[in-house]
Amino acid sequence: MIIRILGEGQYDVAEDAVERLNELDSAVESAIQASDEPSFSTALAALLEAVRSVGVAHAVDSLDESDLILPPPDATLDEVRALLNDDGLIPG
């Protein structure tokens, strides 16, 4: 799976890491539902760091399409709220 972090780049992430990313995504979604800015910032940072940790940088010159697009680290709660779908940022 190719995950893009806006403003940063793409990462190749193994399918078996998606369950852990979904747990972190749930924390982001919960913070958004509670309009809890401090928890949101912490949860988003943890999600993005997990993608960086479990993923491998995708070739910069590749034209492969991303499977998932995540907001940049400095995204606001309202910006991310607009990106959410029924499954959060990461489907599953």
Side-chain angles (χ1 to χ4, degrees), residues 42-61:
T42 300
L44 180 60
L47 174 60
L48 298 180
E49 184 54 37
V51 170
R52 293 180 197 109
S53 295
V54 300
V56 176
H58 194 74
V60 175
D61 59 350

Side-chain angles (χ1 to χ4, degrees), residues 5-28:
I5 298 175
L6 290 174
E8 187 171 318
Q10 293 178 306
Y11 294 86
D12 294 313
V13 175
E15 290 292 330
D16 62 354
V18 173
E19 184 176 331
R20 172 67 180 136
L21 296 178
N22 271 319
E23 292 171 10
L24 296 167
D25 182 39
S26 292
V28 172

Side-chain angles (χ1 to χ4, degrees), residues 50-83:
V51 170
R52 293 180 197 109
S53 295
V54 300
V56 176
H58 194 74
V60 175
D61 59 350
S62 172
L63 298 176
D64 295 325
E65 196 171 309
S66 302
D67 297 304
L68 294 172
I69 299 175
L70 298 179
D74 61 349
T76 67
L77 188 143
D78 288 332
E79 289 170 337
V80 177
R81 180 180 281 133
L83 296 174

Side-chain angles (χ1 to χ4, degrees), residues 31-36 40 76-85 89:
I32 289 172
Q33 290 173 350
S35 295
D36 183 345
F40 162 74
T76 67
L77 188 143
D78 288 332
E79 289 170 337
V80 177
R81 180 180 281 133
L83 296 174
L84 287 179
N85 59 44
L89 293 169

